[in-house]
Amino acid sequence: MGPPNVTASVHGSELPPKTTERSDAPLELTGYRKWLSDNLMLLVTLSGVLLGVTLGLSLRPLHLHGDCIMLISYPGELFMRVLKLMILPLVISSLIAGSASLNAKMNGKIALRTLVYFASTSFFNAALGIALVLLIHPGNPDMHNNDDRSTDKRTVNLLDSLLDLGRNVFPDNLFQASIQQAHTVYLPKPSILHAFNETMNETAVLLSGGLEAQRQADELDEVVLVRDVQYRSGTNTLGIVFFCLVFGTFLGTIGQKGQVVVDFFAAIFEVIMKMVTCVMWLTPVGISSVIAGKILSVDDLGLVMAQLIWFIFTVAVGVFLYQFVVMQAIYFVFVRRNPFKFYAGLIQAMLTAFATASTAAALPITFRCMNEKLRVDPRITRFVLPIGCNINMDGTALYIAVASIFIAQMSGMVLGFGELLTVLLTSTAASMSSASVPSAALVLLLVVLTAIDAPVQDVTLLFAVDWFVDRIRTTNNMLGDCYTAAIVEELSRKELMALDAAAVNYQDMPAGTPNGHSEVMLEGQTELITDSVVVDMSAVMNNVSLQQEQQHSNRRV
């Protein structure tokens, strides 16, 4: 109880009573103040991008020393390290909590819809890239310089890439998967015959001393390469995603026994998201440092842009055509809502993905935009976004298709229908095995070039512009994950409503008695709910409509 209202008087006139409620009531922002409050993080991120571009272009005429460029890039390096620090706990907690909140059958349906959508969009992006590169024809044979060719003949095989994908999906050591990835390398085959040939070479040179003997000896000494599976540094996120997905699915089948574990990982997810909110205030310094450092590190920015401008233009046209036309049309067909409003809510995450050139580094901000701003069901976002971060590479599929045909055009190669079909299929398959790290597509590009017998050494021509093109295509990858989550949520709406109704019915059950009879019944009810949801759909619709009305009333308040 508060103090009694006391009526004061000044010069004989009574003043209204003092109340604490009026002074404590929050002021509702209106107009531009409300817009500024809702989009403050977006403005902060955008200011970092603009500041980085301005700083980088303005400092280029000074020709700074390498140490100065390193110091300018250092805050951005720390910003990237902090973002990457939160990727592993975020992926683990989101996948386990998300898959455990759904039943096993529901997880299978969502996974099937997600994978089908990912494969379809990657295939479409590869086809779009092939169409654009054939139409625009950015490859000019006159720009090719044979003197600059490297003699490195790196052996790359599509089969090795697919087998490495399977090895990473099924890691043999979960702790090793957090720091290393499996990959195939080719090493010289050690043999007794090889050692004997070396001895004969030396003997022939010493005895004859002739060039003909040396030539014959070199022909005998042929190096045989064999496959060897080794481990390289880097988080095997794909294997961790698979383990957490399976672990969370089975965790959801044991009912109340595993609820404490689900709550534990849900709490970890909330803590990480609060840490992300704090890190976001460092965005202007971090993103501006990353972009300025990249611009300053390019030796001759004008010459590079002039030589490869048509290649950059082709990739950019494909990315923006897919983002503003195809992606919005798919969203409108399935969700029946304004797609550009959904797109506007993802600008902050898109700018972060552009600055960091990594879908994984932008994953914390993507979660924040999807859950807090766009109100997508967290059970879907926790399931789809970590998987899409490692599998869905729409922009990478488009880039690999464009880059492979671009190199073939510069070499004067004429690709037939069979070669184009090979590019289409290998680009789609290689993109789905791509790592969500900067410039990972350059390694996968070698797979496609080997498949069509194009000059592999010409990949070095793209190194000069990959830092920029990589950022453009990363936005496609990140947006593809978000739109997939929204579409899968719409396609899974009935199953989600059934789970909500089953949860409400389960909470309404009477508590168990000390003799343990009701506890057995509850365990059976839990198993029924997790394996096959059988509810009255009329009750489902009533519960969902009540929940929606409560959410609308809370938003109005």
Side-chain angles (χ1 to χ4, degrees):
M1 295 179 62
N5 293 334
V6 180
T7 304
S9 61
V10 178
H11 301 293
S13 60
E14 295 184 355
L15 295 177
K18 295 180 180 180
T19 60
T20 57
E21 296 178 356
R22 182 176 303 174
S23 60
D24 294 339
L27 296 177
E28 184 177 356
L29 299 177
T30 58
Y32 74 94
R33 292 184 178 180
K34 184 177 185 303
W35 183 88
L36 186 64
S37 177
D38 295 338
N39 299 276
L40 183 59
M41 280 295 180
L42 172 61
L43 295 177
V44 168
T45 308
L46 183 60
S47 64
V49 174
L50 296 178
L51 179 61
V53 173
T54 304
L55 185 64
L57 294 178
S58 59
L59 293 180
R60 279 193 64 85
L62 300 179
H63 302 288
L64 299 177
H65 191 265
D67 292 340
C68 296
I69 298 177
M70 182 185 65
L71 292 177
I72 292 175
S73 306
Y74 186 69
E77 179 185 353
L78 297 182
F79 179 73
M80 291 282 292
R81 294 173 71 91
V82 172
L83 286 180
K84 292 179 179 179
L85 175 67
M86 293 181 285
I87 292 174
L88 197 58
L90 186 64
V91 169
I92 293 175
S93 60
S94 64
L95 268 179
I96 293 179
S99 58
S101 62
L102 306 170
N103 57 51
K105 185 182 295 185
M106 184 64 182
N107 283 341
K109 290 182 179 180
I110 292 179
L112 180 61
R113 291 164 182 164
T114 302
L115 293 178
V116 169
Y117 184 86
F118 284 164
S120 302
T121 53
S122 297
F123 184 84
F124 178 84
N125 274 271
L128 178 63
I130 292 175
L132 289 176
V133 74
L134 293 178
L135 181 64
I136 300 176
H137 202 283
N140 184 8
D142 296 335
M143 191 176 63
H144 194 278
N145 188 2
N146 293 326
D147 295 336
D148 295 337
R149 282 191 171 191
S150 173
T151 58
D152 183 20
K153 297 286 186 180
R154 181 173 181 178
T155 306
V156 181
N157 195 338
L158 179 61
L159 178 62
D160 294 334
S161 180
L162 295 178
L163 293 179
D164 290 340
L165 178 64
R167 295 185 183 101
N168 288 318
V169 169
F170 301 100
D172 55 355
N173 190 326
L174 191 61
F175 294 98
Q176 186 184 25
S178 62
I179 58 175
Q180 288 183 336
Q181 301 174 355
H183 74 123
T184 302
V185 296
Y186 283 80
L187 300 176
K189 182 180 180 180
S191 62
I192 299 177
L193 180 62
H194 181 68
F196 177 76
N197 288 337
E198 289 183 351
T199 305
M200 292 297 296
N201 292 345
E202 296 176 356
T203 305
V205 172
L206 291 175
L207 293 178
S208 63
L211 296 178
E212 183 66 21
Q214 175 66 32
R215 185 185 61 81
Q216 294 177 356
D218 291 338
E219 290 179 355
L220 293 174
D221 187 15
E222 294 182 357
V223 178
V224 179
L225 299 179
V226 293
R227 291 185 178 93
D228 185 29
V229 179
Q230 296 183 355
Y231 289 90
R232 59 187 175 190
S233 61
T235 304
N236 180 14
T237 315
L238 203 58
I240 295 175
V241 163
F242 177 77
F243 174 81
C244 294
L245 190 60
V246 175
F247 180 83
T249 301
F250 283 98
L251 180 64
T253 60
I254 64 176
Q256 289 297 111
K257 295 179 181 179
Q259 189 60 39
V260 61
V261 182
V262 177
D263 295 338
F264 170 75
F265 284 105
I268 291 180
F269 181 80
E270 293 181 3
V271 171
I272 296 296
M273 293 311 297
K274 288 185 177 295
M275 294 174 61
V276 171
T277 304
C278 297
V279 172
M280 278 299 94
W281 294 108
L282 303 176
T283 299
V285 178
I287 289 183
S288 60
S289 174
V290 171
I291 295 180
K294 278 295 180 182
I295 294 177
L296 292 173
S297 61
V298 179
D299 293 333
D300 196 340
L301 186 63
L303 179 62
V304 168
M305 291 297 179
Q307 288 181 343
L308 300 175
I309 186 63
W310 285 109
F311 171 74
I312 300 174
F313 176 76
T314 305
V315 176
V317 167
V319 167
F320 293 131
L321 183 64
Y322 181 73
Q323 283 187 17
F324 292 105
V325 179
V326 179
M327 196 178 291
Q328 312 305 327
I330 295 175
Y331 180 87
F332 180 77
V333 169
F334 284 97
V335 185
R336 295 293 180 181
R337 295 177 186 171
N338 185 1
F340 293 101
K341 186 177 180 181
F342 185 83
Y343 183 86
L346 296 170
I347 292 180
Q348 181 188 355
M350 185 173 62
L351 291 175
T352 306
F354 177 83
T356 59
S358 173
T359 312
L363 185 61
I365 296 90
T366 308
F367 266 114
R368 188 175 181 275
C369 293
M370 292 288 287
N371 294 340
E372 298 179 9
K373 200 165 187 178
L374 298 174
R375 304 290 182 182
V376 180
D377 196 315
R379 292 172 294 184
I380 300 297
T381 57
R382 293 177 184 179
F383 191 98
V384 174
L385 293 183
I387 298 176
C389 181
N390 296 275
I391 296 178
N392 185 34
M393 298 291 171
D394 296 337
T396 303
L398 187 146
Y399 171 80
I400 292 176
V402 172
S404 58
I405 299 180
F406 169 76
I407 292 177
Q409 290 175 350
M410 282 203 317
S411 302
M413 295 178 59
V414 179
L415 301 180
F417 178 77
E419 287 83 0
L420 295 178
L421 184 61
T422 302
V423 171
L424 177 63
L425 297 178
T426 52
S427 298
T428 304
S431 66
M432 299 189 72
S433 62
S434 173
S436 56
V437 296
S439 299
L442 285 177
V443 179
L444 298 173
L445 180 58
L446 301 176
V447 175
V448 184
L449 292 177
T450 305
I452 61 175
D453 198 21
V456 177
Q457 59 271 17
D458 288 342
V459 175
T460 55
L461 296 172
L462 304 179
F463 284 168
V465 295
D466 188 70
W467 64 273
F468 179 71
V469 180
D470 190 14
R471 283 161 168 75
I472 298 178
R473 66 174 182 263
T474 302
T475 60
N476 244 21
N477 300 338
M478 187 278 303
L479 289 174
D481 300 341
C482 298
Y483 276 75
T484 303
I487 293 172
V488 170
E489 180 197 23
E490 184 66 25
L491 295 177
S492 308
R493 187 167 298 277
K494 290 183 179 179
E495 290 86 355
L496 293 173
M497 290 190 300
L499 288 177
D500 293 336
V504 171
N505 294 335
Y506 180 76
Q507 292 175 358
D508 293 340
M509 291 180 182
T513 56
N515 57 10
H517 176 71
S518 297
E519 183 180 357
V520 176
M521 181 185 67
L522 285 177
E523 289 181 359
Q525 292 288 344
T526 304
E527 185 177 357
L528 176 63
I529 290 172
T530 55
D531 289 340
S532 59
V533 179
V534 181
V535 294
D536 185 7
M537 289 307 296
S538 62
V540 171
M541 297 304 297
N542 291 333
N543 290 330
V544 173
S545 61
L546 289 175
Q547 292 177 2
Q548 291 179 350
E549 290 178 0
Q550 291 177 358
Q551 292 177 358
H552 287 305
S553 61
N554 293 334
R555 291 177 182 176
R556 293 173 183 173
V557 174

